[in-house]
Amino acid sequence: MSSPARSTRPSIGPRQLHPGAWWLWALGLGVAATRTTNPVILLLLAATAGYVVAARRGDAPWSRSYGAFLRLGLLVLGIRLVFAVLLGSPVPGTHVLFALPELPLPAWAQGVRIGGRVTLEGLLSALYDGLRLATLLVCVGAANSLASPARLLRALPGALYEAGVAVVVAMTFAPNLVADVRRLRAARRLRGRTDRGVAAVLSIGLPVLEGALERSIALAAAMDTRGFGRTADVPLRLARVTAALTLAGLLGVCLAAYGLLSADGTDWALPVLLLGLTAAFAGLLLGGRRSARSRYRPDPWALPEWLTAGSGAAAAALVGYLAARDPAAFAPTVVPPTVPVLPLAAVLAVLLGLVPAFAAPTPPRRAS
């Protein structure tokens, strides 16, 4: 008599890519965006993320949040430009575009002005900074629309499981918010009411917030019912060692990240980063003994996952290397204003981020 077959994930057909691969890819593009203020390269990074989302996005409710992050990025860019016009810019400039009436301020408010001259140099500086922040929001939105929050929670190490539950519940708020807005706007149109204007926003605001919170609370309750958060008994000494290693590792990673983003910290940042990652990995490995949980059909990490995560890491590394070799091309000057150039090597580095659009498996569609 043959033994019953074990339930395994099918090896053929559509499947979801590992959520960790999507986040590593998006973080790689985000790191590449922090290394440049060239608007052409930033727009190319945003277009790369958008193409991958369009090619590999599923039809789940959380997959529709990319548009909200894109609009948020445009809003941030617009606010940055408005602040530069109204409050001025610290960048000195000689090319005056127009002048606004300047509001006189008391002596204790020296250094702050409202109105006055608006220069081309100040607007360009605000545009470059705002576009970089908008590109980071686009990368985060791409990860949110491609990676399932619940499946990402299953892939977390045991030491971060309790914190992961809280993060996943928080992450489900924004996608569910977008889904509720779409549903309520469609309901208003079916009733013959307008879905635009201040009155429409006020009428759907409270139901949208209530629905998103109810879904997040329902997710947390379902996790608690299935035994999430259970811990095993571990010696007190081991718990202290785990906490010390994890805290020291995370502090080292944060310090190294600050050094890598600064201009004069590249010499010591990389060794500190390696030490921090080693300590954090050891702490997470020891802390995993506290988690008493099993995994049903874990997500595989195969060649598509390696290609997806590797393309983001390669794009970040190449853009950082090229930015160090040719700072003028990746950080165009605004005093005096110069036309941004687009190096061919930067284009090829950014286009590596398109690998998931072809290497990642097609996500399965939900039954209608």
Side-chain angles (χ1 to χ4, degrees):
M1 182 178 180
S2 60
S3 59
R6 296 179 60 187
S7 176
T8 58
R9 185 179 296 273
S11 58
I12 59 175
R15 71 172 180 90
Q16 293 280 358
L17 194 77
H18 197 288
W22 282 128
W23 273 101
L24 290 175
W25 166 79
L27 290 177
L29 294 185
V31 170
T34 63
R35 308 306 298 173
T36 179
T37 56
N38 189 319
V40 184
I41 299 177
L42 291 173
L43 290 175
L44 186 59
L45 283 167
T48 299
Y51 183 83
V52 174
V53 169
R56 286 297 179 264
R57 181 173 57 179
D59 57 352
W62 45 265
S63 300
R64 304 168 188 169
S65 61
Y66 179 74
F69 280 92
L70 185 60
R71 288 188 288 270
L72 179 61
L74 294 176
L75 177 63
V76 168
L77 178 60
I79 292 175
R80 183 68 179 87
L81 291 175
V82 169
F83 279 2
V85 171
L86 296 180
L87 303 180
S89 174
V91 177
T94 57
H95 298 78
V96 180
L97 299 178
F98 55 90
L100 297 175
E102 187 169 355
L103 183 66
L105 297 176
W108 53 265
Q110 291 183 357
V112 179
R113 69 176 180 87
I114 301 177
R117 298 186 310 166
V118 179
T119 62
L120 176 62
E121 292 84 352
L123 276 184
L124 285 178
S125 177
L127 175 65
Y128 293 169
D129 290 340
L131 188 58
R132 179 165 56 178
L133 182 55
T135 305
L136 290 175
L137 289 173
V138 168
C139 295
V140 173
N144 272 280
S145 61
L146 291 170
S148 169
R151 292 174 57 248
L152 179 62
L153 176 64
R154 295 194 307 177
L156 285 178
L160 298 178
Y161 201 64
E162 289 81 4
V165 173
V167 171
V168 167
V169 171
M171 288 173 58
T172 57
F173 181 82
N176 288 334
L177 194 70
V178 175
D180 284 343
V181 168
R182 292 176 179 269
R183 178 175 55 83
L184 291 173
R185 290 183 63 184
R188 286 184 63 87
R189 288 194 297 267
L190 290 175
R191 293 184 177 93
R193 302 176 182 177
T194 179
D195 59 343
R196 300 181 182 276
V198 178
V201 172
L202 294 177
S203 64
I204 67 176
L206 184 60
V208 163
L209 293 175
E210 182 182 0
L213 287 174
E214 285 182 353
R215 290 187 183 182
S216 299
I217 293 173
L219 175 62
M223 291 177 177
D224 184 68
T225 303
R226 289 165 174 80
F228 287 92
R230 293 177 300 173
T231 57
D233 295 332
V234 294
L236 181 60
R237 182 178 180 181
L238 179 61
R240 291 177 177 175
V241 171
T242 300
L245 286 174
T246 304
L247 181 60
L250 293 180
L251 288 177
V253 170
C254 293
L255 183 62
Y258 174 79
L260 290 174
L261 294 177
S262 63
D264 55 350
T266 54
D267 295 334
W268 56 266
L270 188 57
V272 173
L273 177 62
L274 295 177
L275 291 176
L277 290 176
T278 303
F281 179 77
L284 294 178
L285 189 62
L286 293 176
R289 300 182 181 181
R290 296 181 61 248
S291 178
R293 64 189 177 100
S294 59
R295 292 183 180 180
Y296 175 67
R297 298 175 67 183
D299 293 315
W301 189 278
L303 181 61
E305 281 76 11
W306 285 112
L307 292 176
T308 300
S311 64
L318 288 176
V319 170
Y321 172 76
L322 294 173
R325 292 287 302 272
D326 189 7
F330 286 81
T333 60
V334 295
V335 183
T338 58
V339 178
V341 298
L342 184 60
L344 179 60
V347 175
L348 297 178
V350 173
L351 291 182
L352 286 176
L354 292 176
V355 170
F358 309 97
T362 303
R365 299 291 176 178
R366 298 183 301 168
S368 59

